Amino acid sequence: RSLSLLLGLVLLPVAAEAQSAAISGRVIDRATQQPLAEAQVLVVGTQRGARTGADGVYRIGNAPAGAQQLRVIRIGYQSQVRAVNVGISGTASVDFTLDPSATTLDEVVVTATGETQRRRESGVTTARIDASDVVIANVQNFSDVLSSRAAGVTVQQAGGTTGGTSRIRIRGSNSINLSNDPLLVIDGVRANNNPNSTSIGVGGQAPSRFNDINPDDIESIEVIKGPAASALYGTAAANGVIQVTTKRGRAGKARWSTSLEYGNIREIGVYPDNYAQIGTLNNGSRFNRCNLDFQARRLCTPKPDSLVSTNPIRNTGLFREGWRASYGANVSGGSDVAQYYIGGDFEREEGVYLINHLRKTNIRANINSQPRSNVTVAFNSGYTSSRLRLPQNDNNSFGAISGALIGKAFDCFGPTRDVSCGSDTTGRGYLNANHPAQRFFAIDTRQAVEHFIGSANVTWQPMSWLNLIGVGGYDMIDRHDSETIPQNAILIFVADGSRESNRAQIRTYTGNGSAIGTFQLHPSLRSVTTAGGQWNREKFERTDAYGETLLPGTGSLNGVSTQFDVDESSSDVVTVGGILQQRLEWRDKVFLSAAVRADKNSNFGVTLPFVRYPSASLSWVIGEEGFFPQTDFIRGFRLRAAYGESGQRPDFRQADRFFNPVAVSVQGEDVSGVTIGGAGNAELRPERTREFEFGFEADLLSDRVGVEFTRYSKQTRDALIGRRLAPSVGATTTQLVNLGQVDNKGYEYLINLNAFSSDRFKAELTINGSVNDNKVVDLGKDITPIIFGLGGDSQRHQNGFPLGAYFGRRIESFADKNGDGMISRVNCPTYGTTSNPQIAGGPECEIVLSDSLEFLGNPLGRTQLSLAPAITISWLRVQALFDHRGGVTLNNSTEFFRCGSIFTVSRSINDKTQPLDQQARCVAVFMGTGGTFMEDASFTKLRELSFTFTAPDRFARALRGTGLTVTVAGRNLKTWTDYTGLDPELNNSAAANFNTADFLTQPPIRYWVTRVNLTF
């Protein structure tokens, strides 16, 4: 009541002029007669509407007077339209009874201009994820909400670090040098979604601003998949758009919802032992690396029964049972004039390492107001405060897992210690004696973030045919990255300790305005014309400071005395754009639209005019035509097609020649000077991606089965390629030029099956899948393949192959020709360089490698399939989520290094009882190739499983509530794969554009969580 009173006082000046008419009613399911929550009830032709609550009741305040039409929409149900006559004052009552439907053509989506549009009106497919269909207990962050729920959207969980990021791709990758991450829009405001939001590396994993969004505050997510649909978003939308709408209040008395969540987190990886074979060198001395390669080359003789092994991770009891807790509450309500939603949530997660933890507080306040029957105002604000401590891992010799997997085969503690341990009594098998308690846990890497997103949305209908929409917003991030290494914690590199402290301010501003004119040209023909403008500014500022020789007992830069260094960086990017769109609607069955967006961006070359992005779409709801046969097999059918273009802007200053200030020593004194910072390219253009898609939707088997199918083809032209410059230029070694061409082609499908529905039992199944073929068409004239990846040469961009493809030499054949039980490289050719000389006079070469480097696979995969079954039995609902990825190849670089000439701790290079194929790929490392470790990493995972119990009303009333649910949920429960590494989804460069390898990375962890929700 107090909140309603406060809002009423704030809006009193405008509310006094408001009409008092209202429309209310209830929406129920015809089969079960149960109320339907989250149904949208809209006044046709206006922006006025409301959603039903858990009781199925809605109320539209300040409704326009006169004869109106109401449309109700709910996912999984057929839409319905009813007429109502609204008086100048008073309340009209309209109830709806809905029939189940597997597809919803009248589902409302939000466009780039801020207007709402029914799906039937657009020729593109837009995936919608409704928060009510997501089991919140099963998701720990926003990436989890997206994972496996939309066809064509791939979310790769790179590792098990608490607070880590994921790689998100929509319909493949378009760009070679620029970001391939989708654009993120929250309540109409462009938000920062940097997947690598840190300035201090810990080996591979990184935090992401994408996951600052609180899943509990989300009402719906719309995934706009490609340029055919995202053209109106202009430059930066070529990779697709993820559009988030947060929760809104509803008219009526205050409704409270509280939640309590607690669960455990467990490490489920099975880590291999380290092995060593003790032997004797030819001079008679003891040798603890008498591996199979040394034996085969007769450089040492193994001692009988001297194969030793240990497991540093098991020795140290590295992992603990982590836990997760969350406490939240929200309240919503309001009057006909204004409604509010206010929520807060505190989350704490203690990972499976003692030093890996996250604390996050989320606060949201949304206000919707209808001061007049033709005016709607919405204010949305969200604030996140997080504190994260990250562990060292991946490509990092100080990591807990990396130091173990490439450590020793000897436990240097106790009676089994080896002479190679030297003075080390604490290493327990860790590399460089970096026992976690003494070394790894001493490194203190933290991130503190304050993140605010606010927006104001105003819709004004000054005339019956004209709607004006304005959106303004601000995304503010204050980030502090810090790392402290005490003295004597790390005995190599930084034995005297160090301190790093970097502060960044990141600001994103949004301003949009549009006018929508609707004209009834003929009783059967309607015209909708939209014109608008958009402005965005992205500003970044960061100051870094670093120093070494840290005074014991201190943890600030004041305590360092050597190697002090400071740096400052900034960028400011502005985009302005204009939109013009024309749509024609024939009998509410045929929809034809054409549009153009024109953009100017400060990162373009100075000579480039406004860039234009055209689009067009056609939608025909043929199933509503009189000639279309209405049978039990098929009742609804829609055909659609669309074309669109979008872009990617160059990065900051890539179009400009610029200078960097430096300090220069002249005659022993430091003076200011400059160096050439970048060559620049004044003719730089945006990368352009054009897309054509077509498809259909169908209702089958008496509306029990809904099918969607989409075929698409994307072509990226003017892709930015780094062309080498002559050293005489005196600047950077490369200059970006618009030269490349990349293609993505594929198809997507969605099947919704309502197998059975009654008041006590309901069975449902959702299947979505996709196939994407990615190919580099052309890198440009005289551009050789671009080689990169772990080790510098494991991946490449090459004409005719997928982006980031793996290349290497494969094993053509192997055989134990001399019968000694070992695969040998004696008398075999060696590729590249090696420190191990060959010997002659031995057996014939036992390993045959391919003559040249070959394509070995696609790290991003080709196919995806998700199955989401759900069964409701009276008070119990059981849901699961299965995810399959096919055509995936992964570089098992962990095993490559364990086999290699430096560490040689893999069992396959030490134990002659191991299978010959495992020996062969290890021995091939000494021949100069890592291609034998590119493995098929296709997998199927049980990502989610949940059991939700809805308590009888008497239990809720005993707690003075109106509803009580208890959910037990598990995540990352089972993996089926032929991949031999720790997990087929790992990536040691979590946020990298293409770099992909399983290299000493912690696998995903398992969650079991219990969540209690009480409403009152």
Side-chain angles (χ1 to χ4, degrees):
R1 290 177 182 176
S2 59
L3 288 171
S4 298
L5 178 60
L6 176 61
L7 291 172
L9 291 174
V10 171
L11 297 168
L12 184 60
V14 290
E17 302 181 24
Q19 300 288 341
S20 59
I23 307 172
S24 64
R26 194 164 182 256
V27 182
I28 63 173
D29 181 301
R30 184 180 301 278
T32 65
Q33 295 296 300
Q34 295 299 308
L36 291 176
E38 299 300 326
Q40 289 179 283
V41 185
L42 307 169
V43 181
V44 177
T46 74
Q47 299 293 316
R48 183 73 73 239
R51 285 178 175 267
T52 58
D55 55 3
V57 174
Y58 72 92
R59 181 180 176 85
I60 303 173
N62 231 344
Q68 306 292 341
Q69 285 190 317
L70 288 185
R71 176 182 289 117
V72 61
I73 301 165
R74 175 65 160 82
I75 292 179
Y77 290 86
Q78 296 178 13
S79 67
Q80 194 175 116
V81 177
R82 293 193 58 183
V84 61
N85 193 11
V86 183
I88 296 178
S89 62
T91 300
S93 180
V94 181
D95 295 333
F96 294 91
T97 302
L98 302 186
D99 294 306
S101 175
T103 62
T104 308
L105 293 181
D106 289 318
E107 178 184 59
V108 173
V109 297
V110 180
T111 70
T113 60
E115 63 181 307
T116 57
Q117 185 182 68
R118 291 175 297 160
R119 288 186 63 185
R120 67 165 59 216
E121 298 171 1
S122 174
V124 299
T125 178
T126 299
R128 179 184 170 95
I129 301 171
D130 199 293
S132 61
D133 296 329
V134 178
V135 180
I136 296 297
N138 250 329
V139 296
Q140 283 69 53
N141 51 53
F142 186 49
S143 298
D144 292 344
V145 177
L146 285 176
S147 181
S148 312
R149 288 184 170 87
V153 180
T154 302
V155 179
Q156 181 183 5
Q157 183 181 352
T161 300
T162 288
T165 188
S166 298
R167 176 188 283 166
I168 300 174
R169 296 292 180 265
I170 301 177
R171 290 183 177 176
S173 296
N174 302 314
S175 180
I176 294 172
N177 278 291
L178 302 182
S179 170
N180 285 288
D181 296 300
L183 182 67
L184 177 62
V185 177
I186 302 176
D187 292 327
V189 175
R190 294 197 182 191
N192 185 286
N193 67 332
N194 187 349
N196 187 22
S197 182
T198 183
S199 57
I200 299 176
V202 293
Q205 307 306 306
S208 170
R209 299 284 64 83
F210 197 84
N211 288 330
D212 285 349
I213 306 170
N214 181 14
D216 224 359
D217 286 337
I218 297 172
E219 186 171 279
S220 65
I221 303 168
E222 294 164 9
V223 181
I224 303 163
K225 298 182 180 179
S230 66
L232 291 183
Y233 290 85
T235 303
N239 301 322
V241 180
I242 296 174
Q243 191 159 260
V244 178
T245 300
T246 58
K247 290 181 178 178
R248 305 289 190 267
R250 299 181 182 89
K253 66 179 183 179
R255 290 177 291 270
W256 287 86
S257 177
T258 60
S259 64
L260 171 63
E261 180 180 305
Y262 186 84
N264 65 45
I265 306 171
R266 291 184 179 178
E267 167 61 39
I268 57 174
V270 180
Y271 295 91
D273 292 351
N274 294 342
Y275 282 81
Q277 175 68 63
I278 299 175
T280 305
L281 292 174
N282 294 336
N283 62 10
S285 61
R286 181 184 180 281
F287 185 51
N288 62 7
R289 292 181 60 197
C290 188
N291 57 57
L292 300 183
D293 183 61
F294 274 74
Q295 295 174 39
R297 292 189 292 119
R298 304 172 193 157
L299 299 179
C300 68
T301 302
K303 290 184 177 182
D305 301 322
S306 59
L307 181 68
V308 297
S309 65
T310 193
N311 191 305
I313 291 177
R314 191 165 53 243
N315 293 342
T316 57
L318 173 64
F319 299 111
R320 64 175 179 176
E321 182 174 290
W323 55 272
R324 172 182 174 81
S326 175
Y327 316 93
N330 64 70
V331 58
S332 63
S335 66
D336 290 346
V337 174
Q339 304 85 46
Y340 59 86
Y341 170 89
I342 299 175
D345 177 87
F346 174 75
E347 168 192 344
R348 181 175 177 181
E349 182 166 312
E350 297 288 332
V352 295
Y353 297 117
L354 182 65
I355 62 167
N356 184 200
H357 47 75
L358 172 68
R359 293 172 177 84
K360 184 187 295 185
T361 301
N362 292 282
I363 300 173
R364 174 158 292 279
N366 292 345
I367 299 174
N368 301 300
S369 173
Q370 302 83 35
R372 293 176 178 271
S373 61
N374 62 347
V375 176
T376 301
V377 182
F379 298 98
N380 308 294
S381 61
Y383 176 74
T384 299
S385 178
S386 70
R387 301 294 182 267
L388 172 66
R389 185 174 180 185
L390 289 166
Q392 310 285 314
N393 256 326
D394 305 281
N395 192 5
N396 186 337
S397 60
F398 302 141
I401 292 177
S402 51
L405 294 180
I406 55 176
K408 303 173 183 177
F410 305 98
D411 183 351
C412 293
F413 178 80
T416 60
R417 58 183 287 107
D418 183 73
V419 294
S420 67
C421 293
S423 61
D424 172 27
T425 60
T426 61
R428 306 300 305 269
Y430 266 82
L431 180 69
N432 299 323
N434 281 327
H435 185 288
Q438 283 79 26
R439 304 289 184 251
F440 165 69
F441 289 167
I443 303 176
D444 190 355
T445 308
R446 296 177 183 265
Q447 182 176 90
V449 171
E450 311 297 329
H451 191 174
F452 172 82
I453 300 178
S455 67
N457 299 260
V458 180
T459 300
W460 178 33
Q461 191 174 13
M463 302 179 186
S464 61
W465 56 271
L466 178 63
N467 274 292
L468 303 178
I469 300 175
V471 179
Y474 178 52
D475 180 6
M476 178 200 75
I477 299 170
D478 285 338
R479 193 185 79 206
H480 180 209
D481 305 323
S482 64
E483 183 172 86
T484 305
I485 303 179
Q487 270 200 20
N488 300 318
I490 303 298
L491 300 181
I492 57 175
F493 303 133
V494 283
D496 293 328
S498 68
R499 169 67 177 175
E500 184 172 2
S501 179
N502 307 330
R503 294 185 181 273
Q505 291 185 331
I506 307 164
R507 307 288 188 262
T508 305
Y509 305 86
T510 298
N512 302 335
S514 59
I516 303 103
T518 304
F519 308 95
Q520 198 71 37
L521 304 179
H522 182 273
S524 299
L525 180 63
R526 189 168 74 152
S527 168
V528 180
T529 304
T530 303
Q534 296 186 348
W535 172 84
N536 293 98
R537 183 183 184 190
E538 300 163 64
K539 191 173 183 179
F540 174 87
E541 295 176 328
R542 196 177 85 200
T543 303
D544 303 345
Y546 175 82
E548 294 184 5
T549 312
L550 183 64
L551 184 69
T554 65
S556 75
L557 289 166
N558 290 330
V560 299
S561 57
T562 65
Q563 302 296 320
F564 193 78
D565 183 45
V566 294
D567 189 25
E568 186 175 12
S569 58
S570 64
S571 65
D572 197 352
V573 180
V574 176
T575 303
V576 293
I579 296 171
L580 182 63
Q581 182 183 47
Q582 177 63 53
R583 186 171 77 244
L584 296 175
E585 304 176 358
W586 176 252
R587 297 177 295 125
D588 204 35
K589 298 181 180 66
V590 180
F591 305 87
L592 176 65
S593 68
V596 64
R597 161 120 185 189
D599 270 7
K600 182 71 173 177
N601 183 275
S602 59
N603 286 357
F604 295 163
V606 294
T607 62
L608 190 68
F610 273 82
V611 179
R612 292 181 294 274
Y613 302 110
S615 61
S617 75
L618 173 65
S619 172
W620 184 14
V621 188
I622 192 173
E624 295 181 3
E625 298 287 2
F627 60 81
F628 190 85
Q630 293 291 327
T631 67
D632 288 340
F633 177 73
I634 182 168
R635 289 189 177 180
F637 193 80
R638 177 173 79 121
L639 292 172
R640 49 181 167 77
Y643 172 85
E645 297 183 13
S646 189
Q648 277 274 78
R649 67 172 190 235
D651 287 337
F652 182 63
R653 293 200 302 193
Q654 289 179 340
D656 304 320
R657 181 183 294 270
F658 62 94
F659 300 92
N660 285 330
V662 295
V664 183
S665 178
V666 178
Q667 296 180 352
E669 295 186 6
D670 287 341
V671 298
S672 299
V674 295
T675 60
I676 298 177
N681 177 3
E683 298 181 353
L684 211 58
R685 305 184 301 276
E687 296 185 347
R688 298 180 67 98
T689 302
R690 60 174 183 252
E691 180 183 52
F692 175 76
E693 72 168 54
F694 66 89
F696 66 85
E697 286 108 32
D699 285 329
L700 307 176
L701 302 178
S702 301
D703 288 329
R704 293 191 178 277
V705 180
V707 178
E708 294 184 16
F709 177 84
T710 302
R711 178 73 178 177
Y712 65 87
S713 176
K714 288 196 299 182
Q715 296 89 37
T716 298
R717 300 297 180 259
D718 291 336
L720 294 175
I721 305 294
R723 185 170 59 188
R724 290 190 178 277
L725 296 175
S728 59
V729 173
T732 54
T733 57
T734 60
Q735 180 188 57
L736 287 180
V737 184
N738 297 96
L739 296 175
Q741 301 181 25
V742 178
D743 280 2
N744 285 277
K745 297 180 180 179
Y747 58 87
E748 301 161 350
Y749 54 91
L750 171 66
I751 302 173
N752 286 317
L753 173 62
N754 295 322
F756 184 82
S757 181
S758 70
D759 58 346
R760 298 187 60 84
F761 181 82
K762 188 174 184 180
E764 307 159 86
L765 175 64
T766 299
I767 303 171
N768 75 71
S770 62
V771 175
N772 183 76
D773 290 307
N774 176 271
K775 184 174 69 173
V776 178
V777 178
D778 189 9
L779 290 175
K781 184 179 180 181
D782 300 327
I783 302 295
T784 58
I786 301 170
I787 300 173
F788 62 99
L790 191 65
D793 61 355
S794 59
Q795 293 178 256
R796 61 177 57 189
H797 303 314
Q798 181 170 322
N799 292 346
F801 296 95
L803 284 166
Y806 290 124
F807 275 77
R809 298 181 190 274
R810 69 172 75 245
I811 295 178
E812 299 285 354
S813 63
F814 63 89
D816 178 17
K817 296 182 178 180
N818 63 354
D820 63 356
M822 299 183 295
I823 296 297
S824 169
R825 67 181 173 112
V826 174
N827 288 329
C828 294
T830 300
Y831 305 91
T833 60
T834 179
S835 60
N836 297 305
Q838 299 295 300
I839 61 173
E844 182 183 355
C845 176
E846 295 183 342
I847 301 179
V848 178
L849 300 179
S850 57
D851 292 334
S852 60
L853 299 179
E854 297 182 6
F855 169 64
L856 298 180
N858 178 2
L860 302 181
R862 183 173 182 266
T863 64
Q864 181 177 353
L865 173 65
S866 297
L867 287 82
I871 297 176
T872 304
I873 307 174
S874 187
W875 45 266
L876 172 64
R877 182 171 175 83
V878 182
Q879 294 176 256
L881 181 61
F882 295 88
D883 184 19
H884 172 77
R885 309 272 175 88
V888 183
T889 301
L890 183 59
N891 178 6
N892 189 351
S893 197
T894 296
E895 190 63 13
F896 169 80
F897 269 75
R898 286 169 54 81
C899 285
S901 58
I902 298 177
F903 303 106
T904 60
V905 293
S906 171
R907 185 173 185 178
S908 298
I909 196 64
N910 287 287
D911 185 358
K912 65 187 302 180
T913 66
Q914 286 296 97
L916 294 182
D917 62 330
Q918 298 301 310
Q919 292 186 34
R921 74 171 187 167
C922 264
V923 172
V925 173
F926 297 89
M927 297 171 64
T929 181
T932 55
F933 292 91
M934 308 302 175
E935 297 186 32
D936 178 12
S938 301
F939 65 85
T940 300
K941 288 193 175 190
L942 174 55
R943 289 205 183 272
E944 299 177 8
L945 178 64
S946 65
F947 304 87
T948 299
F949 305 86
T950 301
D953 291 343
R954 66 179 183 275
F955 288 96
R957 289 195 297 269
L959 297 172
R960 297 187 178 180
T962 57
L964 174 66
T965 61
V966 179
T967 300
V968 178
R971 185 171 187 85
N972 190 33
L973 300 180
K974 178 67 176 177
T975 301
W976 296 270
T977 184
D978 292 331
Y979 180 67
T980 63
L982 293 174
D983 190 276
E985 212 172 2
L986 293 182
N987 184 14
N988 79 298
S989 299
N993 224 359
F994 295 103
N995 289 63
T996 307
D998 169 3
F999 185 47
L1000 312 173
T1001 303
Q1002 179 193 2
I1005 49 185
R1006 176 171 297 163
Y1007 291 83
W1008 275 107
V1009 171
T1010 299
R1011 182 182 177 97
V1012 179
N1013 283 87
L1014 175 65
T1015 58
F1016 55 92

